Amino acid sequence: MPNILHFECSRCGERLSADKPQNVCPKDAAPLYVRYDLKSIKASREMLKDRPPTMWRYREVLPEADHVSLGEGFTPLLQSRTGANVYIKDEGLNPTGSFKARGMSAAITMARHYGIKKVAAPSAGNAGGALAAYAAAAGIEAHIFMPKDVPQVNAIEAEHFGAKLTLVDGLISDCGRMVAERKDREGWFDLSTMKEPFRVEGKKTMGYEIAEQMNWKLPDAIIYPTGGGVGLIGMWKAFDEMQQLGWIGSERPKMISVQAAGCAPIVKAFEQGSTASEVWANAQTISAGLRVPKAYADFIILDILRKSGGTAVAVTDDETMQAFESWAREEGIFAAPEGAASLGAYNKLRANGFLRADHRVVLFNTGSGYKYIDVIAKYYGRNKPPLPKSRNIGGIIQPY
Ligand SMILES: Cc1ncc(COP(=O)(O)O)c(C=O)c1O
Ligand SMILES: [Zn+2]
């Protein structure tokens, strides 16, 4: 790899060659980071001006390989119409409608570069959809395992992109076990969350974009819907890289994880002062992407939350759907429930004083609500919130 020095273990610092594909550290099974020779990289902020509006505009800090791209990244950072210092990073505009496109573009780029023919991953939904699309674009065989109750679109898109889809009667953790059990026998390269180093590389570009779109002055806080935590970990890495490149100083935003009350292992561990999380029993939430009972890189997420002076917040599904409504009506954004949870968390943190009106805060809408029509319709079928006289949700006219 021309511009990559090596992989580095996030726990013990062990270095591994990037000349061949790697999953996790052979010593302690911790996630690996991609390291570049940042000192010798000649890249300035000014160089970005004329580059195409995709995540690959940061090419000096991404692998130098033939990109498998569908135009991912450089999504809008919208100024909220209701809060002067609130910004919404709208990741719903990515290919396949979620920020998972970034990680999969980078991971599949490298899978093709290494000559890998078959990949596999467990997914809460959107990662599987994105993986299937990029695998199709690269001519790679994808084996995807999703819980059987994922949002319908995730299963439909994965199959139409030509992936081999298995719907599992269980959670993403059960799907992960299936990949682990079968991958050697089947010759699959494992692309599970935080078990290969390049999904973080794709997702870190969200950190570069926020810096560039905010004119190189990072916000005071970032609220990130956290399942496996790839984006949070990636952005934190991006800030360190940008500092080494001389693009930003040592200031850092408070990194804030939002999770669903029905599956909040990171929030619980943060509140208990633990360095790792415990498996969350009976995980249940409308925010499919947040239904991750235990993040593989929980220790890294918790470390970042603490180092940055951030926090972790749980929001109920009702709070999420209230936020969903308010973004739709007040901002014109049709958010994924996971994304709307960011606004739920922001409201809570304003109410308890953790955040003030003068704090510049970026809320992540991690995906498009258009992928959740069945989920949204089901929610309103069960609950009757104080909404207008009639609404048309998923083709169903619901009287109130
Ligand atoms: C829309 C959406 N938001 C957030 C997440 C959680 O992402 P991460 O695993 O990077 O924490 C997911 C994961 O599936 C998702 O689909
Ligand atoms: Zn290690």
Side-chain angles (χ1 to χ4, degrees), residues 11 20 42 51 58 61 67 90 129 133 149 168 240 346 357:
R11 190 179 272 130
K20 62 179 178 68
K42 302 266 173 297
R51 294 196 177 168
Y58 308 106
V61 287
H67 307 153
D90 196 357
D149 53 355
V168 176
D240 279 347
Y346 177 77

Side-chain angles (χ1 to χ4, degrees), residues 22-40:
Q22 309 271 4
N23 284 110
V24 293
C25 174
K27 290 193 174 154
D28 54 19
L32 300 172
Y33 284 127
V34 179
R35 295 299 183 205
Y36 305 84
D37 187 3
L38 292 170
K39 287 201 185 66
S40 62

Side-chain angles (χ1 to χ4, degrees), residues 306-324:
R306 295 198 174 103
K307 269 195 191 134
S308 70
T311 187
V313 189
V315 296
T316 66
D317 283 354
D318 286 344
E319 287 165 341
T320 289
M321 292 312 285
Q322 275 160 22
F324 166 83

